[in-house]
Amino acid sequence: MSALFQPFRLRDVTIPNRVWMPPMCQYSAASEGPDTGAPTDWHFAHYAARAAGGTGLILVEASGVSPEGRISPYDLGLWNDTQVEAFRRITRFLVSQGTVPGIQLAHSGRKASTDRTWTGGAPLAPEAGGWQPLAPSALAFDERHPVPTELTVDQIKQIVGQFADAADRALAAGFEVVEIHGAHGYLINEFLSPHSNHRTDAYGGSYENRTRLALEVVDAVRAVWPDDKPLFFRISATDWLEDGGWTADDTVRLAGDLQAHGVDLLDVSTGGNASGVRIPTGPGYQVPFAARVKAETALPVAAVGLITEVEQAEKILANEEADAVLLGRELLRSPSWARLAARELGAETQVPDQYHRSV
């Protein structure tokens, strides 16, 4: 039987296959007014198409736990009840198609307050709809970004509470999986890495101090997220720096700590916290980082990074390099990738009645 189309059970949630969609920002939420941060018709059509296409788990894009936690003014959020109600329309449809709905909760830290990527993604000043970014230390991401405001301990505690509140709203919105965003140079990743965290208090310096925020967020979310539902954590396994950054060794160590605090799966990506680094990209270039966590810990993992071919994805799972694969750009190109893969592998997958002619 195909490894890709084996169901995967985490706590009391069974995901029908191992073809998953990672969070990918659409920069299409309302940026002002009462619907700010709420999903639109675009989001419904976008996620509904991938559910009808057989994707087993869809992780809705990074959603800010506060207005200033968004990457851009056009990002989704989960800080009010208007957003909750708008998300319910999406989760109901995903469930109707047999897809498990998940959402990534995020705070973008020093990389906040930028424009849409297709218009250049430049930082936005407050007078242009932006805001002052927050970070563990007053260190700009690069020469384009402003110097962020260094968070106080009280502000850090407030953000921990915002993650818990957002998780509570995610439950009310019908999501069955929550993922905490600890990757790609956003706030939690900034705390983890000595490249971006120069604090000298309880949240900086040693490994234990730099990982404190991540574990406090996990604890706060796990306290409100039901015991029967899984919690994911997305990690950048390396900063791709020769020294002075977060490393694969750190990731393996953190995986054990995260599992002890109630995380059920590590979503393994890389990079995003240091500008100008050279990343050796290629098909499956991030899979070895997931494979190492799987080999050296008991925590399930998902692999990402230029996974595009059916045979490639099947081999990753058959070789036990990961427990699931997350297809990003390929699912943007081909919303029904999962159903096409099932046909190629001779596996069964749910097909909407309206698409019976495609079987």
Side-chain angles (χ1 to χ4, degrees):
M1 184 178 292
S2 163
L4 268 178
F5 290 93
Q6 290 283 344
F8 189 48
R9 185 178 177 86
L10 288 168
R11 298 193 182 238
D12 288 348
V13 174
T14 299
I15 303 169
N17 60 52
R18 316 296 180 98
V19 181
W20 298 356
M21 182 176 175
M24 291 180 284
C25 288
Q26 298 296 292
Y27 304 106
S28 298
S31 61
E32 57 186 10
D35 293 328
T36 297
T40 63
D41 286 347
W42 173 264
H43 296 95
F44 179 85
H46 171 64
Y47 292 115
R50 278 80 195 166
T55 308
L57 166 70
I58 290 177
L59 289 168
V60 168
E61 64 205 74
S63 298
V65 298
S66 65
E68 64 273 10
R70 295 169 295 167
I71 301 168
S72 84
Y74 312 101
D75 281 358
L76 296 177
L78 252 182
W79 66 81
N80 65 42
D81 292 340
T82 298
Q83 296 155 351
V84 170
E85 188 59 37
F87 274 119
R88 285 197 185 109
R89 180 187 178 208
I90 294 173
T91 58
R92 282 195 298 266
F93 185 83
L94 267 56
V95 169
S96 76
Q97 299 304 304
T99 295
V100 173
I103 190 167
Q104 185 184 72
L105 304 180
H107 193 297
S108 52
R110 66 179 183 174
K111 294 174 76 174
S113 186
T114 62
D115 207 347
R116 293 179 171 107
T117 54
W118 58 81
T119 57
L124 294 173
E127 58 269 21
W131 55 91
Q132 174 62 21
L134 305 170
S137 302
L139 300 168
F141 174 67
D142 60 20
E143 64 280 358
R144 291 200 315 164
H145 285 72
V147 175
T149 298
E150 182 172 311
L151 287 159
T152 66
V153 172
D154 285 345
Q155 287 174 315
I156 291 171
K157 299 298 185 184
Q158 182 181 21
I159 289 171
V160 172
Q162 289 169 345
F163 270 94
D165 291 345
D168 205 27
R169 291 190 177 95
L171 181 65
F175 290 102
E176 296 182 35
V177 173
V178 155
E179 177 172 272
I180 296 167
H181 198 352
H184 301 156
Y186 299 119
L187 186 69
I188 293 175
N189 189 189
E190 292 165 17
F191 271 88
L192 293 175
S193 174
H195 175 72
S196 46
N197 184 348
H198 292 189
R199 299 178 73 97
T200 57
D201 62 4
Y203 289 91
S206 67
Y207 166 88
E208 289 79 9
N209 285 355
R210 287 183 284 107
T211 59
R212 189 180 306 279
L213 175 63
L215 297 179
E216 286 182 350
V217 168
V218 167
D219 287 345
V221 170
R222 190 74 267 183
V224 300
W225 192 242
D227 288 340
D228 62 350
K229 296 186 186 299
L231 174 62
F232 292 7
F233 190 97
R234 189 164 225 196
I235 189 78
S236 279
T238 176
D239 284 339
W240 295 102
L241 293 169
E242 292 185 4
D243 57 66
W246 183 260
T247 69
D249 289 342
D250 294 326
T251 295
V252 171
R253 182 178 179 184
L254 182 61
D257 295 338
L258 291 170
Q259 187 171 32
H261 284 254
V263 169
D264 300 291
L265 181 138
L266 193 65
D267 176 359
V268 185
S269 187
T270 66
N273 192 45
S275 66
V277 297
R278 296 176 64 88
I279 299 176
T281 60
Y285 72 102
Q286 296 178 132
V287 173
F289 296 96
R292 182 176 170 192
V293 173
K294 184 169 175 60
E296 297 182 27
T297 77
L299 186 63
V301 298
V304 304
L306 294 182
I307 300 170
T308 59
E309 303 298 329
V310 174
E311 182 179 359
Q312 173 197 21
E314 179 77 6
K315 186 177 180 181
I316 289 168
L317 300 184
N319 289 346
E320 298 186 349
E321 297 175 280
D323 298 284
V325 291
L326 290 149
L327 280 69
R329 291 176 176 84
E330 194 59 26
L331 274 173
L332 295 182
R333 288 186 284 262
S334 179
S336 296
W337 192 95
R339 288 201 288 114
L340 295 172
R343 177 186 291 180
E344 183 174 326
L345 295 168
E348 292 186 4
T349 189
Q350 181 171 322
V351 178
D353 291 339
Q354 295 89 338
Y355 290 173
H356 71 277
R357 298 177 187 85
S358 69
V359 177

